[in-house]
Amino acid sequence: MFNAISGYLFAFTHCYVGNIHPQVTEALLQELFSSASALEGCKLIRKEKSLYGFVDYFDRRSAAFAIVTLNGRQIFWLPIKVN
């Protein structure tokens, strides 16, 4: 049951989240990503004009599920990038 996509997706328990709208808060990000599975942690990073975050799950399957289901989801009319 190993292929290039599943092998990559199941390699990590954390997700990078990019292209985040400035109005998004850490609480909102945590709420959105906890809909995929229970979170271990969530961090939103603001640097100059960019905003990105990291979301940590307890297991690889949860992280992979979040990537598949939340990548491209629009928050405040911007599609987030999850990988």
Side-chain angles (χ1 to χ4, degrees), residues 3-18:
N3 62 42
I5 294 174
S6 67
Y8 173 75
L9 291 177
F10 291 119
F12 302 100
T13 60
H14 58 271
C15 302
Y16 165 83
V17 186

Side-chain angles (χ1 to χ4, degrees), residues 66-79:
I67 291 169
V68 170
T69 59
L70 298 174
N71 187 41
R73 168 83 57 95
Q74 289 194 4
I75 305 176
F76 294 111
W77 307 280
L78 274 180

Side-chain angles (χ1 to χ4, degrees), residues 6-83:
S6 67
Y8 173 75
L9 291 177
F10 291 119
F12 302 100
T13 60
H14 58 271
C15 302
Y16 165 83
V17 186
N19 199 38
I20 300 174
H21 192 279
Q23 289 183 297
V24 173
T25 63
E26 194 166 302
L28 178 59
L29 192 67
Q30 183 172 350
E31 181 181 336
L32 175 65
F33 279 82
S34 66
S35 70
S37 188
L39 296 180
E40 185 172 0
C42 177
K43 182 70 177 165
L44 193 60
I45 301 165
R46 296 179 189 274
K47 286 200 174 185
E48 296 179 17
K49 292 184 179 185
S50 67
L51 185 61
Y52 59 95
F54 295 95
V55 179
D56 296 313
Y57 288 96
F58 290 101
D59 60 73
R60 297 180 302 224
R61 288 186 185 268
S62 296
F65 183 70
I67 291 169
V68 170
T69 59
L70 298 174
N71 187 41
R73 168 83 57 95
Q74 289 194 4
I75 305 176
F76 294 111
W77 307 280
L78 274 180
I80 59 172
K81 179 161 180 73
V82 183
N83 57 31

